[in-house]
Amino acid sequence: MKTLWHNCHAASMVGGRYSIIENAAILTDGPLIEWIGAAHAAPPADATQVDLGGAWVTPGLIDCHTHTVFGGNRSGEFEQRLQGVSYAEIAAAGGGIASTVRATRAATADELFASARRRLVSLLRDGVTTVEMKSGYGLDLANERKLLQVIRRLGEELPVTVRATCLAAHALPPEYAGQADAYIDHICTQMLPALAEEGLVDAVDAFCEYLAFSPEQVERLFKVAQGLDLPVKLHAEQLSSLHGSTLAARYHALSADHLEFMTEDDAQAMAAAGTVAVLLPGAFYFLRETQLPPMEALRKHGVQIAIASDLNPGTSPALSLRLMMNMACTLFRMTPEEALAGVTLHAATALGMQASHGSLEAGKHADFVAWDIDRPADLAYWLGGELNKRVVRHGALVSI
Ligand code: DI6
Ligand code: FE
C-alpha cells in the first residue's frame, strides 16, 4: 500500500542537520518512507495521492526526556516558591520529589495511566510521535515496575512510539534515608536486573547532583547497566558542576541532560563520545535559573543538541514541546532551525533511534507532521497552542 504525499515542502533534516526541500513529495510504502525529493522527480508508482495543500512537513516531533507518569501534582509548591520558599527548602520539609513519590506509591496503575494519558495527549496534539518516559517516582521494585508497566501500556494504547527509561536512581527513598550507597546497591543487584529481565527497560538514567547521587554512585550503576546491555543517560550539571556529563561520555551515554553548569571540557568529552546534549528550557524557566547552558562551547565542539519538555510535576509541568522550542530560542538563544533539529534529528539520537527516526529519508519510519504554516520557524514562534496539522505515523494519518 503506497501513498504519494504531495503539494508540500519538507524540513527533511537529511545530512545530519537542518535541511529543506521546497516543492517536495514523499512516497511511503506501508510504515516506511520509500522515497522523498523534489516533486518533479517523484518516481512513477501505483500510489494513493494525498494533497497536503502547501503544508510544511517535518519529522514527527520526539520528546526525548519526560517524567510523564506520576501521582498528584505540586501546584501548591509552585505557590510556595512564588512566596519565596526555595526548591531546596521545600524538599527539606518533606516536599519536592518525596511528595510525588508518596502520591505515586498511593496511586493504582489505572489511576497513573489515566492521569498520564491526559498529559501525553497534550504532547501528541502538539505533533509528538515518539516520547521517552522515565520511572523514578516509585523508588522501590514494586512501584518502579508499576510505573514502567504504565509507560509500556501508554505506548500500546496511544498512537505514539514510547521508550521507557529506568530512573530508580532519581532520589533517595525514605526507607534508605542516610544510606545512599545501600540504595544504589539495591538498584544494582535487585531492581535493575529484575526490571530489565521483565523487558520493561530501554535505557538507564540517574540524577547526578549534590542533592541526589554522586558520580561514584552513578558509575556503579552504569557498570551494571552496561553488563545488562542497556544504554545509559544522565541528569547532569543541572544545579552544580560534578562533571557527570564527562562520566556519561566515558560510558558512551546516549545523552547527558540539563547541563547548565557544564564546562568546555565536558562538551569536548561529549562530542568525542557522540553523547547528545539534551537541554530542558522548561525546567530552567520554571525554577527561574540564571546559569545558561554553554551554547557556544556546545556548538564549537559539534555536540548534537536536543530539546525536551522534562515534563514533571516539580520543575517543568510542560505540556507543549513546541513551547520548549520557543523557550530554547528566547532563553538559550538557539535558532528556530536548531530548535527543530533538537526535537527531531538530535532527539532521535538521544534515544538511540537515529537509524529509523528523526529525519525524512528513504528507509526510515514514515512518522511526520504536515503543518499549515508559512515557514518552519513558525513552529518555534507561536507560544504553544494547537496548530493546524496532519499527523502521519507508520505511514497512516492519526487522529488524537
Ligand atoms: N531533575 C529535575 O528537574 C526533575 N528531576 C530531576 O532529576 C525534578 C523532579 C521533581 O522535582 O519532581
Ligand atoms: Fe528530568
Side-chain angles (χ1 to χ4, degrees), residues 65 67 70 74 77 87 96-98 100-101 134 136-137 167 169-171 205-209 211-212 235-236 238-239 258 280 283 287 310 312-316:
H65 178 145
H67 311 245
F70 55 83
R74 310 227 296 272
E77 289 183 11
Y87 185 70
I97 294 177
T100 298
V101 171
K134 302 172 194 296
Y137 291 115
L167 178 59
H170 190 194
D205 195 350
F207 190 16
C208 184
E209 195 55 69
L211 50 69
H235 283 68
Q238 180 184 9
L239 307 168
H258 284 290
L280 304 166
L287 292 178
D310 196 16
N312 79 70
T315 63
S316 190

Side-chain angles (χ1 to χ4, degrees), residues 69-385:
V69 187
F70 55 83
N73 81 43
R74 310 227 296 272
S75 61
E77 289 183 11
F78 174 55
E79 291 178 299
Q80 279 181 285
R81 284 199 298 107
L82 293 173
Q83 300 296 326
V85 188
S86 75
Y87 185 70
E89 285 166 335
I90 289 170
I97 294 177
S99 77
T100 298
V101 171
R102 285 192 295 277
T104 302
R105 287 178 172 185
T108 65
D110 283 343
E111 287 163 349
L112 292 169
F113 178 84
S115 66
R117 184 184 196 287
R118 286 194 290 275
R119 294 185 279 270
L120 184 54
V121 164
S122 276
L123 292 177
L124 302 194
R125 291 212 171 118
D126 218 20
V128 168
T129 54
T130 298
V131 65
E132 183 259 19
M133 298 187 229
K134 302 172 194 296
S135 65
Y137 291 115
L139 307 186
D140 61 27
L141 179 57
N143 283 292
E144 288 291 298
R145 178 187 286 125
K146 178 172 73 176
L147 289 171
L148 291 163
Q149 286 172 340
V150 168
I151 291 170
R152 285 282 186 247
R153 186 175 154 205
L154 287 163
E156 284 155 17
E157 296 194 20
L158 288 160
V160 60
T161 301
V162 168
R163 284 291 179 270
T165 299
C166 179
L167 178 59
H170 190 194
L172 208 52
E175 312 81 82
Y176 280 89
Q179 305 173 69
D181 280 317
Y183 180 56
I184 291 290
D185 283 344
H186 179 60
I187 298 174
C188 289
T189 59
Q190 309 291 320
M191 292 170 74
L192 193 55
L195 297 168
E197 169 73 24
E198 291 164 35
L200 292 171
V201 182
D202 299 318
V204 176
D205 195 350
F207 190 16
C208 184
E209 195 55 69
Y210 69 89
L211 50 69
F213 298 100
S214 69
E216 293 70 29
Q217 290 162 340
V218 169
E219 184 159 10
R220 275 160 52 207
L221 179 67
F222 279 4
K223 285 198 169 123
V224 171
Q226 215 168 39
L228 293 168
D229 242 351
L230 292 170
V232 297
K233 309 170 78 68
L234 192 63
H235 283 68
E237 332 318 340
Q238 180 184 9
L239 307 168
S240 63
S241 170
L242 300 180
H243 303 292
S245 45
T246 292
L247 169 67
R250 273 207 283 121
Y251 282 81
H252 296 281
L254 295 173
S255 69
D257 304 39
H258 284 290
L259 303 174
E260 282 85 343
F261 286 84
M262 80 186 294
T263 63
E264 182 156 357
D265 286 349
D266 294 326
Q268 225 165 337
M270 286 176 63
T275 296
V276 176
V278 177
L279 303 184
L280 304 166
F284 175 91
Y285 164 81
F286 198 69
L287 292 178
R288 303 169 76 191
E289 299 278 354
T290 52
Q291 170 89 20
L292 288 162
M295 298 306 304
E296 284 321 310
L298 291 170
R299 289 189 184 111
K300 176 173 147 196
H301 294 289
V303 181
Q304 294 185 60
I305 304 170
I307 303 295
S309 69
D310 196 16
L311 169 52
N312 79 70
T315 63
S316 190
L319 296 171
S320 162
L321 188 56
R322 276 191 319 96
L323 179 57
M324 300 302 108
M325 293 169 69
N326 174 275
M327 287 186 176
C329 297
T330 52
L331 300 174
F332 296 167
R333 295 280 178 245
M334 288 176 69
T335 66
E337 290 82 4
E338 285 177 318
L340 185 54
V343 296
T344 54
L345 191 64
H346 303 316
T349 309
L351 297 179
M353 300 172 79
Q354 65 273 22
S356 53
H357 292 76
S359 64
L360 303 174
E361 291 182 69
K364 287 202 178 184
H365 283 242
D367 288 5
F368 53 81
V369 185
W371 307 89
D372 291 336
I373 54 174
D374 296 328
R375 310 170 58 232
D378 291 3
L379 297 177
Y381 163 72
W382 297 106
L383 290 167

Side-chain angles (χ1 to χ4, degrees), residues 3-8 48-55 370 372 390 397:
T3 306
L4 185 74
W5 311 81
H6 64 97
N7 191 14
C8 60
T48 307
Q49 308 272 320
V50 179
D51 183 337
L52 291 173
D372 291 336
R390 274 169 275 191
L397 281 165

